[in-house]
Amino acid sequence: MKKLPIALALCAAFVSANTLAEVRINGFASIVGGKTLDDDNATLYGYDDDISFKNESMFALQLSADLQEKLSATAQIVARGSDDFDAEFEWAYLTYEFTDELQVSAGKMRVPFYRYSDFLDVGYTYRWVRPPQSVYNLPFSTYEGLSLLHNTQLGDWDSTIQVIYGSFDDKIAVVSVNGDTELNDIAGINWTLSYDWFSARAAYFVAETSIAIENDTDAGIALNGLEQTLRNAGFVDQADDIAVNEDDGSFLALGFSIDYNDILFDAEYTEFEVDNSALAKQTQYYTSVGYRMDEWTVHLTYENNDDKHDSSRYNALPAVPALNAGINQVLESGKAKSNVYTIGTRYDFHPSAALKVDFSRFKDDITDTDTDVVAVAVDLVF
């Protein structure tokens, strides 16, 4: 079934409601071309040594309807090149304003994991071709549920607190495996404080996490095989520590940003962990400095990623060498350590469009290999 005609039909229905509501239509797009600079079949951010203009390109429309009496509706339709430009609803929610400071939303919305979560797809709003992927690496970004947003003043500071609750259910890729993923009882809070040129934020989320790992990769086959072997051998607790089934997941984010005169600085730190599972604890951060010169911005970014299990999880079955070796191998396979350096520039050649060029060098500290990628993008809003 083609998704684009359905999306366009719904857009037409949305617009036809103009007799009942004030409807605004905005859009944004990114045309991105990139390739790796290596000849060893290495890939990075979906690119290899053949140039691609499809991988990160996208086109989107956002429709907002003021239904009067403090009620509004918002929908965002996104067509990504990585999905053959099939259009899908990224957002679809209703909002009711109790007061100028307090509002509640219900539907499909963005999870506020990061500083740029609300603008994750709008490349025009940030200086990079893509946000630092060592941090912005969770394989999903939306949820279905509720959001309570409160804006106020704390002295001279602007305060925004968002509390969310909901769920997520879809097939995604997690580390080196694929599977149907359910996140139930997603709950969390995001708090941002801003004063003049300085902004800081903190976020914390929890969820009951289940992943039905598929046997379509070597890692998936190994995980499922080890889990079943442990169960057959009577080691149920150890098997449960391999499976990702109704385990407690948590996500922590801290960050701050500076926009002082023409100097820009951003830093974010995140942790992601699913207790008692084969997924390693992920810790990552980035720091980025930029400088504006009229229509030009230059920037340098450093990213660091460190995924590993706590040492106490190893050697769980010392009396059964073969199974113990299997558990250790699975835990070790989740280990990752890397860093990325990115240098780039942005040129605002039009009031609604920007040209960007980024060069990134990814270093895998486990395999001691480097991969370089260059990308050129035109981001626009309309």
Side-chain angles (χ1 to χ4, degrees):
M1 181 176 65
K2 295 293 186 181
K3 300 175 183 176
L4 183 56
I6 294 176
L8 292 177
L10 288 170
C11 281
F14 210 119
V15 175
S16 69
N18 192 46
T19 57
L20 300 176
E22 179 184 346
V23 178
R24 299 189 311 275
I25 301 177
N26 304 103
F28 53 91
S30 295
I31 308 301
V32 188
K35 70 183 297 291
T36 62
L37 304 181
D38 304 277
D39 297 324
D40 56 358
N41 297 319
T43 61
L44 184 61
Y45 307 140
Y47 295 106
D48 54 24
D49 56 359
D50 292 324
I51 189 169
S52 171
F53 284 91
K54 187 177 181 180
N55 181 45
E56 294 186 294
S57 296
M58 52 87 66
F59 185 92
L61 292 175
Q62 181 165 308
L63 300 93
S64 302
D66 183 356
L67 304 176
Q68 307 301 319
E69 302 297 329
K70 300 184 178 181
L71 185 65
S72 63
T74 303
Q76 188 180 100
I77 302 168
V78 180
R80 304 180 189 278
S82 57
D83 295 326
D84 293 324
F85 291 103
D86 287 335
E88 293 185 330
F89 277 92
E90 191 81 3
W91 298 351
Y93 61 89
L94 295 174
T95 298
Y96 182 79
E97 294 186 7
F98 293 104
T99 67
D100 291 339
E101 295 182 340
L102 182 65
Q103 66 182 42
V104 63
S105 300
K108 184 178 182 181
M109 295 166 285
R110 184 82 74 193
V111 186
F113 286 129
Y114 314 108
R115 165 170 163 73
Y116 292 97
S117 283
D118 286 344
F119 318 105
L120 194 59
D121 294 322
V122 191
Y124 184 80
T125 61
Y126 43 80
R127 55 186 175 272
W128 313 278
V129 169
R130 71 192 68 80
Q133 294 300 288
S134 295
V135 169
Y136 286 70
N137 64 352
L138 287 182
F140 75 101
S141 61
T142 60
Y143 75 105
E144 296 176 3
L146 301 172
S147 168
L148 187 67
L149 186 67
H150 183 258
N151 295 293
T152 191
Q153 291 285 131
L154 298 177
D156 294 329
W157 293 77
D158 295 322
S159 172
T160 300
I161 297 178
Q162 182 179 11
V163 178
I164 72 166
Y165 180 81
S167 62
F168 171 87
D169 187 356
D170 201 357
K171 180 179 178 179
I172 60 176
V174 181
V175 190
S176 56
V177 299
N178 303 311
D180 291 325
T181 301
E182 288 188 19
L183 301 176
N184 293 314
D185 296 327
I186 300 174
I189 185 171
N190 165 43
W191 187 20
T192 302
L193 285 171
S194 301
Y195 175 73
D196 197 10
W197 46 265
F198 179 80
S199 177
R201 72 183 298 273
Y204 186 73
F205 303 94
V206 295
E208 181 187 85
T209 307
S210 299
I211 303 175
I213 297 173
E214 298 183 352
N215 288 319
D216 59 348
T217 64
D218 291 341
I221 293 172
L223 283 171
N224 288 333
L226 177 60
E227 180 193 347
Q228 192 58 51
T229 299
L230 288 168
R231 293 194 188 282
N232 292 339
F235 297 103
V236 178
D237 290 341
Q238 286 74 18
D240 289 341
D241 282 347
I242 297 297
V244 188
N245 184 28
E246 298 183 352
D247 293 319
D248 293 332
S250 62
F251 178 88
L252 168 70
L254 301 171
F256 70 94
S257 63
I258 294 172
D259 187 341
Y260 182 74
N261 292 335
D262 292 319
I263 298 173
L264 308 171
F265 186 83
D266 288 273
E268 291 187 77
Y269 170 85
T270 58
E271 289 184 359
F272 172 66
E273 184 175 18
V274 179
D275 295 337
N276 302 317
S277 77
L279 301 181
K281 180 180 180 180
Q282 301 178 35
T283 59
Q284 45 275 313
Y285 68 87
Y286 78 85
T287 59
S288 178
V289 62
Y291 186 73
R292 276 192 303 259
M293 298 170 288
D294 297 323
E295 294 86 7
W296 291 88
T297 302
V298 293
H299 59 86
L300 175 66
T301 302
Y302 173 76
E303 309 170 39
N304 183 277
N305 180 70
D306 190 3
D307 303 343
K308 60 185 178 182
H309 288 278
D310 188 89
S311 59
S312 63
R313 299 200 63 195
Y314 289 82
N315 301 315
L317 294 172
V320 189
L323 293 180
N324 191 67
I327 293 174
N328 289 348
Q329 183 176 1
V330 164
L331 298 180
E332 193 67 15
S333 68
K335 187 176 182 180
K337 187 173 180 59
S338 62
N339 57 74
V340 183
Y341 289 92
T342 297
I343 185 171
T345 185
R346 168 180 172 144
Y347 173 48
D348 291 282
F349 66 93
H350 185 277
S352 300
L355 171 68
K356 303 175 184 176
V357 181
D358 278 7
F359 170 82
S360 299
R361 170 163 290 178
F362 174 91
K363 179 176 176 55
D364 189 323
D365 293 330
I366 302 297
T367 61
D368 196 26
T369 56
D370 295 339
T371 304
D372 297 335
V373 66
V374 62
V376 180
V378 175
D379 294 322
L380 59 148
V381 293
F382 53 89

PDB file of all heavy atoms in Angstrom, residues 105-126:
ATOM      1  N   SER A 105      -0.921  17.662  25.892  1.00  0.00           N
ATOM      2  CA  SER A 105      -1.019  17.139  24.527  1.00  0.00           C
ATOM      3  C   SER A 105      -1.220  15.632  24.588  1.00  0.00           C
ATOM      4  O   SER A 105      -0.729  14.959  25.511  1.00  0.00           O
ATOM      5  CB  SER A 105       0.245  17.467  23.723  1.00  0.00           C
ATOM      6  OG  SER A 105       0.448  18.864  23.629  1.00  0.00           O
ATOM      7  N   ALA A 106      -1.907  15.093  23.577  1.00  0.00           N
ATOM      8  CA  ALA A 106      -2.164  13.657  23.506  1.00  0.00           C
ATOM      9  C   ALA A 106      -2.058  13.207  22.059  1.00  0.00           C
ATOM     10  O   ALA A 106      -2.578  13.865  21.153  1.00  0.00           O
ATOM     11  CB  ALA A 106      -3.541  13.331  24.068  1.00  0.00           C
ATOM     12  N   GLY A 107      -1.369  12.082  21.839  1.00  0.00           N
ATOM     13  CA  GLY A 107      -1.216  11.548  20.496  1.00  0.00           C
ATOM     14  C   GLY A 107       0.180  11.007  20.284  1.00  0.00           C
ATOM     15  O   GLY A 107       0.818  10.522  21.216  1.00  0.00           O
ATOM     16  N   LYS A 108       0.659  11.104  19.056  1.00  0.00           N
ATOM     17  CA  LYS A 108       2.012  10.662  18.710  1.00  0.00           C
ATOM     18  C   LYS A 108       2.922  11.879  18.677  1.00  0.00           C
ATOM     19  O   LYS A 108       2.700  12.810  17.892  1.00  0.00           O
ATOM     20  CB  LYS A 108       2.019   9.963  17.351  1.00  0.00           C
ATOM     21  CG  LYS A 108       3.379   9.398  16.962  1.00  0.00           C
ATOM     22  CD  LYS A 108       3.317   8.666  15.635  1.00  0.00           C
ATOM     23  CE  LYS A 108       4.679   8.054  15.285  1.00  0.00           C
ATOM     24  NZ  LYS A 108       4.661   7.357  13.979  1.00  0.00           N
ATOM     25  N   MET A 109       3.959  11.856  19.518  1.00  0.00           N
ATOM     26  CA  MET A 109       4.816  13.025  19.691  1.00  0.00           C
ATOM     27  C   MET A 109       6.279  12.615  19.792  1.00  0.00           C
ATOM     28  O   MET A 109       6.600  11.433  19.869  1.00  0.00           O
ATOM     29  CB  MET A 109       4.413  13.782  20.972  1.00  0.00           C
ATOM     30  CG  MET A 109       3.026  14.372  20.930  1.00  0.00           C
ATOM     31  SD  MET A 109       2.444  14.902  22.573  1.00  0.00           S
ATOM     32  CE  MET A 109       2.051  13.328  23.322  1.00  0.00           C
ATOM     33  N   ARG A 110       7.137  13.619  19.804  1.00  0.00           N
ATOM     34  CA  ARG A 110       8.570  13.406  19.948  1.00  0.00           C
ATOM     35  C   ARG A 110       8.935  13.192  21.414  1.00  0.00           C
ATOM     36  O   ARG A 110       8.448  13.922  22.286  1.00  0.00           O
ATOM     37  CB  ARG A 110       9.329  14.613  19.418  1.00  0.00           C
ATOM     38  CG  ARG A 110      10.838  14.453  19.423  1.00  0.00           C
ATOM     39  CD  ARG A 110      11.320  13.674  18.222  1.00  0.00           C
ATOM     40  NE  ARG A 110      11.240  14.495  17.016  1.00  0.00           N
ATOM     41  CZ  ARG A 110      11.360  14.031  15.791  1.00  0.00           C
ATOM     42  NH1 ARG A 110      11.551  12.745  15.607  1.00  0.00           N
ATOM     43  NH2 ARG A 110      11.290  14.831  14.742  1.00  0.00           N
ATOM     44  N   VAL A 111       9.783  12.209  21.693  1.00  0.00           N
ATOM     45  CA  VAL A 111      10.320  12.042  23.045  1.00  0.00           C
ATOM     46  C   VAL A 111      11.429  13.075  23.239  1.00  0.00           C
ATOM     47  O   VAL A 111      12.368  13.144  22.436  1.00  0.00           O
ATOM     48  CB  VAL A 111      10.898  10.631  23.262  1.00  0.00           C
ATOM     49  CG1 VAL A 111      11.299  10.445  24.721  1.00  0.00           C
ATOM     50  CG2 VAL A 111       9.920   9.563  22.841  1.00  0.00           C
ATOM     51  N   PRO A 112      11.377  13.902  24.266  1.00  0.00           N
ATOM     52  CA  PRO A 112      12.380  14.966  24.442  1.00  0.00           C
ATOM     53  C   PRO A 112      13.683  14.449  25.043  1.00  0.00           C
ATOM     54  O   PRO A 112      14.129  14.902  26.113  1.00  0.00           O
ATOM     55  CB  PRO A 112      11.670  15.943  25.381  1.00  0.00           C
ATOM     56  CG  PRO A 112      10.773  15.078  26.214  1.00  0.00           C
ATOM     57  CD  PRO A 112      10.295  13.999  25.278  1.00  0.00           C
ATOM     58  N   PHE A 113      14.317  13.512  24.334  1.00  0.00           N
ATOM     59  CA  PHE A 113      15.573  12.953  24.823  1.00  0.00           C
ATOM     60  C   PHE A 113      16.689  14.007  24.859  1.00  0.00           C
ATOM     61  O   PHE A 113      17.478  14.055  25.802  1.00  0.00           O
ATOM     62  CB  PHE A 113      16.035  11.819  23.918  1.00  0.00           C
ATOM     63  CG  PHE A 113      15.261  10.540  24.059  1.00  0.00           C
ATOM     64  CD1 PHE A 113      14.738   9.912  22.941  1.00  0.00           C
ATOM     65  CD2 PHE A 113      15.060   9.950  25.294  1.00  0.00           C
ATOM     66  CE1 PHE A 113      14.039   8.727  23.055  1.00  0.00           C
ATOM     67  CE2 PHE A 113      14.361   8.768  25.421  1.00  0.00           C
ATOM     68  CZ  PHE A 113      13.841   8.154  24.294  1.00  0.00           C
ATOM     69  N   TYR A 114      16.761  14.825  23.804  1.00  0.00           N
ATOM     70  CA  TYR A 114      17.938  15.666  23.585  1.00  0.00           C
ATOM     71  C   TYR A 114      17.558  17.142  23.480  1.00  0.00           C
ATOM     72  O   TYR A 114      16.393  17.495  23.347  1.00  0.00           O
ATOM     73  CB  TYR A 114      18.651  15.251  22.293  1.00  0.00           C
ATOM     74  CG  TYR A 114      18.844  13.775  22.118  1.00  0.00           C
ATOM     75  CD1 TYR A 114      18.095  13.059  21.184  1.00  0.00           C
ATOM     76  CD2 TYR A 114      19.766  13.079  22.894  1.00  0.00           C
ATOM     77  CE1 TYR A 114      18.275  11.699  21.010  1.00  0.00           C
ATOM     78  CE2 TYR A 114      19.950  11.716  22.733  1.00  0.00           C
ATOM     79  CZ  TYR A 114      19.205  11.029  21.783  1.00  0.00           C
ATOM     80  OH  TYR A 114      19.377   9.686  21.622  1.00  0.00           O
ATOM     81  N   ARG A 115      18.576  17.972  23.461  1.00  0.00           N
ATOM     82  CA  ARG A 115      18.359  19.415  23.307  1.00  0.00           C
ATOM     83  C   ARG A 115      17.657  19.723  21.994  1.00  0.00           C
ATOM     84  O   ARG A 115      16.774  20.588  21.933  1.00  0.00           O
ATOM     85  CB  ARG A 115      19.706  20.134  23.374  1.00  0.00           C
ATOM     86  CG  ARG A 115      19.665  21.573  22.867  1.00  0.00           C
ATOM     87  CD  ARG A 115      20.949  22.323  23.170  1.00  0.00           C
ATOM     88  NE  ARG A 115      21.092  23.519  22.371  1.00  0.00           N
ATOM     89  CZ  ARG A 115      20.396  24.641  22.534  1.00  0.00           C
ATOM     90  NH1 ARG A 115      19.489  24.712  23.488  1.00  0.00           N
ATOM     91  NH2 ARG A 115      20.597  25.693  21.755  1.00  0.00           N
ATOM     92  N   TYR A 116      18.028  19.021  20.928  1.00  0.00           N
ATOM     93  CA  TYR A 116      17.461  19.315  19.618  1.00  0.00           C
ATOM     94  C   TYR A 116      16.360  18.340  19.222  1.00  0.00           C
ATOM     95  O   TYR A 116      16.025  18.225  18.040  1.00  0.00           O
ATOM     96  CB  TYR A 116      18.566  19.307  18.549  1.00  0.00           C
ATOM     97  CG  TYR A 116      19.545  20.451  18.679  1.00  0.00           C
ATOM     98  CD1 TYR A 116      20.768  20.275  19.326  1.00  0.00           C
ATOM     99  CD2 TYR A 116      19.248  21.710  18.179  1.00  0.00           C
ATOM    100  CE1 TYR A 116      21.676  21.323  19.453  1.00  0.00           C
ATOM    101  CE2 TYR A 116      20.143  22.768  18.307  1.00  0.00           C
ATOM    102  CZ  TYR A 116      21.355  22.565  18.943  1.00  0.00           C
ATOM    103  OH  TYR A 116      22.236  23.608  19.075  1.00  0.00           O
ATOM    104  N   SER A 117      15.763  17.650  20.190  1.00  0.00           N
ATOM    105  CA  SER A 117      14.740  16.649  19.862  1.00  0.00           C
ATOM    106  C   SER A 117      13.567  17.245  19.081  1.00  0.00           C
ATOM    107  O   SER A 117      13.110  16.672  18.090  1.00  0.00           O
ATOM    108  CB  SER A 117      14.214  15.985  21.142  1.00  0.00           C
ATOM    109  OG  SER A 117      15.137  15.038  21.636  1.00  0.00           O
ATOM    110  N   ASP A 118      13.065  18.392  19.517  1.00  0.00           N
ATOM    111  CA  ASP A 118      11.913  18.986  18.844  1.00  0.00           C
ATOM    112  C   ASP A 118      12.221  19.391  17.415  1.00  0.00           C
ATOM    113  O   ASP A 118      11.313  19.530  16.586  1.00  0.00           O
ATOM    114  CB  ASP A 118      11.411  20.209  19.613  1.00  0.00           C
ATOM    115  CG  ASP A 118      10.668  19.820  20.881  1.00  0.00           C
ATOM    116  OD1 ASP A 118      10.291  18.640  21.010  1.00  0.00           O
ATOM    117  OD2 ASP A 118      10.472  20.697  21.755  1.00  0.00           O
ATOM    118  N   PHE A 119      13.516  19.606  17.111  1.00  0.00           N
ATOM    119  CA  PHE A 119      13.917  20.043  15.773  1.00  0.00           C
ATOM    120  C   PHE A 119      14.815  19.010  15.099  1.00  0.00           C
ATOM    121  O   PHE A 119      15.586  19.354  14.198  1.00  0.00           O
ATOM    122  CB  PHE A 119      14.668  21.380  15.873  1.00  0.00           C
ATOM    123  CG  PHE A 119      14.043  22.352  16.831  1.00  0.00           C
ATOM    124  CD1 PHE A 119      14.619  22.594  18.067  1.00  0.00           C
ATOM    125  CD2 PHE A 119      12.871  23.000  16.509  1.00  0.00           C
ATOM    126  CE1 PHE A 119      14.055  23.494  18.958  1.00  0.00           C
ATOM    127  CE2 PHE A 119      12.286  23.901  17.389  1.00  0.00           C
ATOM    128  CZ  PHE A 119      12.871  24.145  18.613  1.00  0.00           C
ATOM    129  N   LEU A 120      14.697  17.761  15.520  1.00  0.00           N
ATOM    130  CA  LEU A 120      15.620  16.721  15.079  1.00  0.00           C
ATOM    131  C   LEU A 120      15.681  16.606  13.560  1.00  0.00           C
ATOM    132  O   LEU A 120      16.750  16.385  12.984  1.00  0.00           O
ATOM    133  CB  LEU A 120      15.192  15.383  15.686  1.00  0.00           C
ATOM    134  CG  LEU A 120      16.195  14.234  15.623  1.00  0.00           C
ATOM    135  CD1 LEU A 120      17.483  14.597  16.335  1.00  0.00           C
ATOM    136  CD2 LEU A 120      15.585  12.982  16.255  1.00  0.00           C
ATOM    137  N   ASP A 121      14.548  16.739  12.893  1.00  0.00           N
ATOM    138  CA  ASP A 121      14.508  16.590  11.434  1.00  0.00           C
ATOM    139  C   ASP A 121      14.687  17.909  10.701  1.00  0.00           C
ATOM    140  O   ASP A 121      14.829  17.916   9.476  1.00  0.00           O
ATOM    141  CB  ASP A 121      13.173  15.964  11.018  1.00  0.00           C
ATOM    142  CG  ASP A 121      13.023  14.539  11.515  1.00  0.00           C
ATOM    143  OD1 ASP A 121      14.032  13.813  11.515  1.00  0.00           O
ATOM    144  OD2 ASP A 121      11.905  14.161  11.901  1.00  0.00           O
ATOM    145  N   VAL A 122      14.643  19.022  11.429  1.00  0.00           N
ATOM    146  CA  VAL A 122      14.732  20.341  10.786  1.00  0.00           C
ATOM    147  C   VAL A 122      16.192  20.771  10.776  1.00  0.00           C
ATOM    148  O   VAL A 122      16.669  21.494  11.670  1.00  0.00           O
ATOM    149  CB  VAL A 122      13.850  21.379  11.513  1.00  0.00           C
ATOM    150  CG1 VAL A 122      13.752  22.657  10.670  1.00  0.00           C
ATOM    151  CG2 VAL A 122      12.468  20.813  11.791  1.00  0.00           C
ATOM    152  N   GLY A 123      16.924  20.331   9.763  1.00  0.00           N
ATOM    153  CA  GLY A 123      18.347  20.611   9.703  1.00  0.00           C
ATOM    154  C   GLY A 123      18.687  22.083   9.719  1.00  0.00           C
ATOM    155  O   GLY A 123      19.774  22.473  10.165  1.00  0.00           O
ATOM    156  N   TYR A 124      17.784  22.934   9.269  1.00  0.00           N
ATOM    157  CA  TYR A 124      18.032  24.371   9.224  1.00  0.00           C
ATOM    158  C   TYR A 124      18.258  24.962  10.617  1.00  0.00           C
ATOM    159  O   TYR A 124      18.898  26.011  10.755  1.00  0.00           O
ATOM    160  CB  TYR A 124      16.851  25.074   8.553  1.00  0.00           C
ATOM    161  CG  TYR A 124      17.026  26.558   8.364  1.00  0.00           C
ATOM    162  CD1 TYR A 124      17.786  27.063   7.296  1.00  0.00           C
ATOM    163  CD2 TYR A 124      16.449  27.463   9.250  1.00  0.00           C
ATOM    164  CE1 TYR A 124      17.956  28.427   7.132  1.00  0.00           C
ATOM    165  CE2 TYR A 124      16.618  28.826   9.085  1.00  0.00           C
ATOM    166  CZ  TYR A 124      17.376  29.308   8.031  1.00  0.00           C
ATOM    167  OH  TYR A 124      17.537  30.663   7.871  1.00  0.00           O
ATOM    168  N   THR A 125      17.781  24.292  11.677  1.00  0.00           N
ATOM    169  CA  THR A 125      17.836  24.859  13.028  1.00  0.00           C
ATOM    170  C   THR A 125      19.168  24.612  13.737  1.00  0.00           C
ATOM    171  O   THR A 125      19.372  25.151  14.827  1.00  0.00           O
ATOM    172  CB  THR A 125      16.701  24.286  13.897  1.00  0.00           C
ATOM    173  OG1 THR A 125      16.855  22.854  13.995  1.00  0.00           O
ATOM    174  CG2 THR A 125      15.344  24.612  13.302  1.00  0.00           C
ATOM    175  N   TYR A 126      20.062  23.817  13.175  1.00  0.00           N
ATOM    176  CA  TYR A 126      21.361  23.604  13.815  1.00  0.00           C
ATOM    177  C   TYR A 126      22.477  23.705  12.786  1.00  0.00           C
ATOM    178  O   TYR A 126      22.238  23.729  11.580  1.00  0.00           O
ATOM    179  CB  TYR A 126      21.415  22.266  14.566  1.00  0.00           C
ATOM    180  CG  TYR A 126      20.808  21.086  13.844  1.00  0.00           C
ATOM    181  CD1 TYR A 126      21.504  20.410  12.847  1.00  0.00           C
ATOM    182  CD2 TYR A 126      19.538  20.629  14.182  1.00  0.00           C
ATOM    183  CE1 TYR A 126      20.954  19.318  12.206  1.00  0.00           C
ATOM    184  CE2 TYR A 126      18.976  19.531  13.548  1.00  0.00           C
ATOM    185  CZ  TYR A 126      19.686  18.883  12.555  1.00  0.00           C
ATOM    186  OH  TYR A 126      19.131  17.801  11.917  1.00  0.00           O
TER     187      TYR A 126
END
